Short mmCIF file of all heavy atoms in Angstrom, two decimals:
data_model
loop_
_atom_site.label_atom_id
_atom_site.label_comp_id
_atom_site.label_asym_id
_atom_site.label_seq_id
_atom_site.Cartn_x
_atom_site.Cartn_y
_atom_site.Cartn_z
N HIS B 49 54.27 70.30 43.65
CA HIS B 49 54.15 68.96 44.01
C HIS B 49 52.82 68.60 44.73
O HIS B 49 52.73 67.74 45.54
CB HIS B 49 55.35 68.55 44.84
CG HIS B 49 56.62 68.53 44.17
ND1 HIS B 49 57.00 67.93 43.07
CD2 HIS B 49 57.63 69.51 44.30
CE1 HIS B 49 58.14 68.33 42.56
NE2 HIS B 49 58.58 69.28 43.49
N TYR B 50 51.85 69.50 44.62
CA TYR B 50 50.52 69.18 45.23
C TYR B 50 49.66 68.23 44.27
O TYR B 50 50.03 68.14 43.09
CB TYR B 50 49.83 70.43 45.57
CG TYR B 50 49.50 71.36 44.27
CD1 TYR B 50 48.31 71.30 43.67
CD2 TYR B 50 50.37 72.26 43.84
CE1 TYR B 50 48.00 72.00 42.58
CE2 TYR B 50 50.06 73.07 42.73
CZ TYR B 50 48.96 72.89 42.20
OH TYR B 50 48.60 73.71 41.02
N GLU B 51 48.79 67.68 44.84
CA GLU B 51 47.90 66.78 44.02
C GLU B 51 46.89 67.72 43.23
O GLU B 51 46.13 68.38 43.77
CB GLU B 51 47.08 65.87 44.93
CG GLU B 51 46.37 64.75 44.29
CD GLU B 51 45.40 64.03 45.18
OE1 GLU B 51 45.44 64.27 46.33
OE2 GLU B 51 44.36 63.47 44.52
N ARG B 52 47.05 67.60 41.98
CA ARG B 52 46.27 68.39 41.08
C ARG B 52 44.84 67.90 40.74
O ARG B 52 44.81 66.59 40.80
CB ARG B 52 46.91 68.68 39.72
CG ARG B 52 48.09 69.38 39.72
CD ARG B 52 48.72 69.81 38.49
NE ARG B 52 47.98 70.89 37.73
CZ ARG B 52 48.13 71.08 36.40
NH1 ARG B 52 48.61 70.33 35.56
NH2 ARG B 52 47.37 72.18 35.94
N PRO B 53 43.87 68.58 40.53
CA PRO B 53 42.57 68.11 40.31
C PRO B 53 42.69 67.45 38.83
O PRO B 53 43.67 67.58 38.18
CB PRO B 53 41.60 69.32 40.09
CG PRO B 53 42.40 70.48 40.80
CD PRO B 53 43.85 70.11 40.67
N PRO B 54 41.65 66.61 38.47
CA PRO B 54 41.74 66.05 37.16
C PRO B 54 41.67 67.12 36.04
O PRO B 54 41.23 68.33 36.34
CB PRO B 54 40.36 65.29 37.03
CG PRO B 54 39.60 65.54 38.25
CD PRO B 54 40.45 66.21 39.19
N LEU B 55 42.44 66.94 34.90
CA LEU B 55 42.55 67.85 33.92
C LEU B 55 41.61 67.95 32.92
O LEU B 55 41.20 66.85 32.34
CB LEU B 55 44.02 67.74 33.21
CG LEU B 55 45.19 67.67 34.25
CD1 LEU B 55 46.44 67.38 33.49
CD2 LEU B 55 45.23 68.73 35.29
N GLN B 56 41.12 69.10 32.58
CA GLN B 56 40.11 69.28 31.59
C GLN B 56 40.84 69.16 30.13
O GLN B 56 41.91 69.66 30.06
CB GLN B 56 39.57 70.68 31.51
CG GLN B 56 38.54 71.05 30.57
CD GLN B 56 37.94 72.34 30.74
OE1 GLN B 56 38.06 73.03 31.83
NE2 GLN B 56 37.33 73.06 29.74
N PRO B 57 40.26 68.29 29.27
CA PRO B 57 40.91 68.12 27.95
C PRO B 57 41.06 69.50 27.30
O PRO B 57 40.08 70.24 27.09
CB PRO B 57 40.27 67.11 27.16
CG PRO B 57 39.00 66.96 28.10
CD PRO B 57 39.08 67.47 29.37
N VAL B 58 42.30 69.71 26.56
CA VAL B 58 42.48 70.91 25.85
C VAL B 58 42.14 70.82 24.49
O VAL B 58 42.90 70.43 23.68
CB VAL B 58 43.91 71.42 25.99
CG1 VAL B 58 44.18 72.89 25.39
CG2 VAL B 58 44.38 71.59 27.47
N ASP B 59 40.90 70.99 24.08
CA ASP B 59 40.39 70.75 22.62
C ASP B 59 40.12 72.06 21.96
O ASP B 59 39.57 72.14 20.83
CB ASP B 59 39.34 69.72 22.47
CG ASP B 59 38.37 69.80 23.62
OD1 ASP B 59 38.16 70.86 24.16
OD2 ASP B 59 37.57 68.81 23.84
N VAL B 60 40.39 73.26 22.58
CA VAL B 60 40.29 74.49 21.96
C VAL B 60 41.54 75.23 22.29
O VAL B 60 42.37 74.76 23.11
CB VAL B 60 39.11 75.46 22.37
CG1 VAL B 60 37.86 74.89 22.07
CG2 VAL B 60 39.23 75.73 23.86
N GLU B 61 41.89 76.28 21.51
CA GLU B 61 43.10 77.16 21.75
C GLU B 61 43.04 77.85 22.91
O GLU B 61 42.12 78.75 22.99
CB GLU B 61 43.43 77.92 20.59
CG GLU B 61 44.74 78.75 20.64
CD GLU B 61 45.05 79.67 19.61
OE1 GLU B 61 44.31 79.67 18.49
OE2 GLU B 61 46.14 80.28 19.68
#
Side-chain angles (χ1 to χ4, degrees):
Chain B
H49 303 293
Y50 60 93
E51 191 194 340
R52 292 187 79 197
L55 307 183
Q56 180 178 336
V58 184
D59 43 20
V60 293
E61 184 180 356

